[in-house]
Amino acid sequence: MKQTPLWGRHTALGARMVEFAGWQMPIQYTGGIVAEHLAVRRSAGIFDVSHMGRFRVTGAGARAFLRQALTNDCDLLPPGSAQYTILANEAGGAIDDAFLYRPAEDKYLLVVNASNKDKDLAHLQALLKSFKDTVLEDVSQSVAMIALQGPQGEQILQSLLTDGVLPAAHRNALSNFKLAGLEVCAARTGYTGEPVCFEIFLMADCAVRVWDKLMEKGALPIGLGARDTLRLEAGLPLYGHELGMGKDGLQIPVFAIGQARFAVDLNDPQRPFAGRKAMVRQSRARTAYQQGNYSDKSTLPKLIRTFRLLDSGIAREGALVYSGGRPAGWVTSGTMIPYWDYEKRDDAIMLKETHSQRAIGLCMIEPDISVGAQLEIEVRGKNLRAQVVSRNLQNTGRQTRAVL
Amino acid sequence: MMIDANARYLKSHEWARKENGNVFAVGITAYAAEQLGDIVYMELPQIGREVKEGEAFGIVESVKSASDMYAPISGTVTEINKTVPDNPDILKTDAYQKGWLIKLEAANPAEFDGLMDEKAYRTYLETEA
């Protein structure tokens, strides 16, 4: 089983290690998933995400290659920024979702899911054959990756900055700088819903030193367990749940997820990426739904929606969803999520010292069920009441709060 | 790992302990609680329900998973401990005293003798881990 450069740190910290996509990774540290989740929402957490796949794309043909390989248009990606994107198939489903970073004019870095890395690499290499002067390298071993997420993250990085500047204060901005004398590249991206968020790329042999510095400054290590609850609370899709193959054995259309509008660019009709034709139809179907026209559900039979449970219990992946007694779909991700209690004071949100929990999730359901509608979710033979909501987490500028 | 010398055990990490007469307290072990991690939801049976040895009497859920809890002996539920579902952290600190979950009026008290004793459970934990 593979180990990231931070494996020794995880075990020394008493992490519970699990196998994940061929890697030995921390599912949680000694404080547990709930404490880790809450730490990210209140202060800052660090995540070893070195298990994810990292591909460097360089050469004169890089731009043309990426424009054909990915659903988003890298022509809209200036140096010093990042974009959410998808590797799609002709049917308009996702082979994987990914983030494309452009740390320099002539250099791109594509970060993919650990569980899909080999499949993605084979797919990209096959496409690469028709491009000249394009180099695709798997740099997953030589480059490590640490995510720093939460309201205190910016101060922590600032306090360690020895050269250069942090990325500009907007989502997806990226810059190259030095942390404690070590060269890093960081983007304001993440998988937690936190407005203050960084993902840091650095040479693998620097990972331990930077990890230790981040911990010294107060960032708490966060395992894969809380990584999942944080993304779920933020309503972010996870491949294998909200993307890829559905419970019905059919490809989930990319436009079933709301995030498709950030990940797919259909503006340039000359850009021939895989799945384009299917996604044009999906996009039209989604627009029709928004206008209240559900006459043709064949292209997008179901959408991924956010729900909260009204009855006590937990609705987990695979649970069947009903609307007015009729089958409507199924849960794609769901669990109990902790949150800080809060109060509103002069329009500001003040987190209290106490926390609570609520059961939420994502489901794939009929497209004409709108926000506010009540659902029933079958859990161990009982129907629990749930409600479609627009979100379970609200961005309040510098931090977030639970939507209750 | 904390093990109660007066209790007897199932391989699925539930315990039973004789209280008085034919009444037995039932719970999950400290090992089970630790393995589950943060417990976020529990369901306990209604008073009066009859359970068979090895039958699920309730559900314990962590962030990651839901697990059945199995009855070590057959009997009728006479009491449930409502404090634990509201404050499952009790299981981390006191799985055998404050952490009892249900009390059963045993249908066949001899079933208790067939369970693993402290020594056998300890050996089982060592070999399992």
Side-chain angles (χ1 to χ4, degrees):
Chain A
M1 214 148 21
K2 291 176 279 186
Q3 298 174 352
T4 76
L6 292 162
W7 181 87
R9 282 296 180 268
H10 304 321
T11 52
L13 287 161
R16 186 175 299 179
M17 304 297 285
V18 296
E19 192 270 338
F20 181 79
W23 293 84
Q24 258 192 300
M25 296 298 293
I27 184 90
Q28 62 167 77
Y29 298 84
T30 52
I33 294 173
V34 169
E36 291 170 22
H37 182 110
L38 291 169
V40 171
R41 295 286 182 237
R42 184 174 211 110
S43 51
I46 43 173
F47 307 66
D48 178 11
V49 282
S50 305
H51 62 303
M52 297 186 82
R54 285 170 292 284
F55 307 139
R56 182 157 58 205
V57 186
T58 51
R63 179 185 147 257
F65 169 67
L66 291 168
R67 290 194 84 210
Q68 190 163 335
L70 302 168
T71 60
N72 214 336
D73 189 348
C74 69
D75 268 11
L76 307 171
L77 183 68
S81 57
Q83 65 184 188
Y84 185 44
T85 194
I86 286 169
L87 286 82
N89 55 34
E90 287 296 346
I95 296 169
D96 201 0
D97 63 336
F99 241 89
L100 183 66
Y101 298 83
R102 193 173 179 190
E105 176 73 35
D106 55 353
K107 191 167 95 177
Y108 297 88
L109 195 65
L110 185 68
V111 177
V112 303
N113 281 301
S115 50
N116 290 332
K117 189 195 129 183
D118 295 343
K119 176 180 76 172
D120 294 347
L121 191 57
H123 173 80
L124 293 171
Q125 276 166 340
L127 181 66
L128 189 70
K129 288 178 187 147
S130 35
F131 288 86
K132 286 179 186 166
D133 302 321
T134 310
V135 183
L136 172 69
E137 294 163 280
D138 179 0
V139 296
S140 310
Q141 294 281 339
S142 56
V143 178
M145 190 172 168
I146 298 170
L148 169 65
Q149 309 275 302
Q152 303 293 324
E154 180 131 19
Q155 287 151 257
I156 290 173
L157 273 197
Q158 199 70 50
S159 70
L160 293 170
L161 189 74
T162 50
D163 192 26
V165 291
L166 297 187
H170 58 86
R171 201 155 180 90
N172 293 341
L174 173 152
S175 68
N176 299 284
F177 53 95
K178 281 187 181 176
L179 274 187
L182 302 168
E183 276 183 36
V184 305
C185 167
R188 291 191 189 258
T189 54
Y191 197 40
T192 59
E194 281 302 310
V196 179
C197 56
F198 298 93
E199 287 179 306
I200 305 165
F201 300 91
L202 67 176
M203 295 314 291
D205 56 5
C206 299
V208 167
R209 276 177 287 170
V210 168
W211 179 269
D212 289 349
K213 288 286 177 195
L214 293 167
M215 277 193 71
E216 267 172 41
K217 296 293 179 184
L220 193 83
I222 311 296
L224 294 181
R227 181 169 159 80
D228 190 44
T229 56
L230 289 158
R231 73 94 193 167
L232 181 55
E233 189 179 31
L236 300 171
L238 173 60
Y239 187 90
H241 297 253
E242 288 79 31
L243 286 170
M245 202 71 86
K247 181 184 155 73
D248 52 2
L250 300 174
Q251 291 272 346
I252 300 173
V254 164
F255 273 81
I257 61 167
Q259 289 84 358
R261 67 184 189 276
F262 307 117
V264 183
D265 188 282
L266 296 167
N267 287 316
D268 181 356
Q270 305 302 315
R271 191 169 69 91
F273 63 88
R276 182 193 171 86
K277 276 186 188 159
M279 278 183 237
V280 167
R281 288 196 300 272
Q282 292 174 15
S283 174
R284 283 194 194 125
R286 189 121 196 168
T287 305
Y289 293 163
Q290 278 158 3
Q291 293 162 352
N293 175 2
Y294 299 97
S295 57
D296 181 4
K297 296 186 192 169
S298 60
T299 308
L300 274 183
K302 290 188 170 62
L303 299 178
I304 301 287
R305 306 299 289 267
T306 310
F307 71 85
R308 65 183 177 117
L309 217 53
L310 302 174
D311 289 327
S312 68
I314 300 176
R316 295 184 187 272
E317 182 184 1
L320 294 176
V321 179
Y322 300 86
S323 169
R326 288 191 305 277
W330 52 86
V331 174
T332 54
S333 298
T335 190
M336 192 71 88
I337 304 280
Y339 62 91
W340 290 110
D341 299 321
Y342 62 86
E343 57 190 355
K344 285 181 183 160
R345 214 184 278 163
D346 306 331
D347 288 345
I349 296 294
M350 308 293 289
L351 297 184
K352 296 186 187 176
E353 295 298 318
T354 54
H355 61 86
S356 306
Q357 58 178 10
R358 82 273 197 218
I360 62 165
L362 296 168
C363 56
M364 185 153 176
I365 55 171
E366 296 288 325
D368 48 359
I369 302 172
S370 49
V371 168
Q374 191 168 307
L375 304 170
E376 302 89 45
I377 304 181
E378 192 180 329
V379 178
R380 293 189 288 274
K382 268 190 285 187
N383 275 354
L384 304 181
R385 290 175 309 131
Q387 187 182 32
V388 180
V389 295
S390 56
R391 59 177 68 84
N392 283 306
L393 187 75
Q394 176 77 47
N395 181 342
T396 61
R398 296 296 292 174
Q399 61 183 41
T400 57
R401 67 167 170 87
V403 176
L404 304 174
Chain B
M1 183 54 65
M2 263 287 295
I3 301 179
D4 181 352
N6 296 319
R8 297 214 167 180
Y9 299 88
L10 280 184
K11 282 187 175 175
S12 49
H13 308 290
E14 291 84 3
W15 57 264
R17 185 180 57 231
K18 194 166 176 140
E19 297 291 293
N20 46 55
N22 276 346
V23 175
F24 290 78
V26 170
I28 63 170
T29 67
Y31 174 83
E34 194 210 278
Q35 289 298 304
L36 283 165
D38 294 311
I39 294 167
V40 291
Y41 182 71
M42 296 182 85
E43 261 179 34
L44 296 179
Q46 301 281 339
I47 288 172
R49 193 180 133 191
E50 287 180 27
V51 293
K52 294 257 184 320
E53 177 187 21
E55 188 190 336
F57 71 81
I59 299 277
V60 55
E61 301 204 34
S62 68
V63 174
K64 299 295 286 182
S65 66
S67 314
D68 285 318
M69 297 183 287
Y70 299 100
I73 57 169
S74 309
T76 306
V77 179
T78 59
E79 236 183 297
I80 58 169
N81 187 353
K82 288 183 180 164
T83 317
V84 179
D86 291 337
N87 189 7
D89 280 350
I90 291 171
L91 294 171
K92 285 186 188 166
T93 53
D94 195 358
Y96 302 102
Q97 298 303 324
K98 287 183 185 157
W100 68 272
L101 297 175
I102 59 171
K103 289 189 180 165
L104 283 177
E105 173 92 40
N108 178 9
E111 286 172 348
F112 181 74
D113 301 322
L115 299 170
M116 283 187 284
D117 63 10
E118 179 208 7
K119 189 161 169 271
Y121 183 60
R122 194 178 293 279
T123 308
Y124 172 66
L125 283 185
E126 279 158 11
T127 51
E128 198 193 44

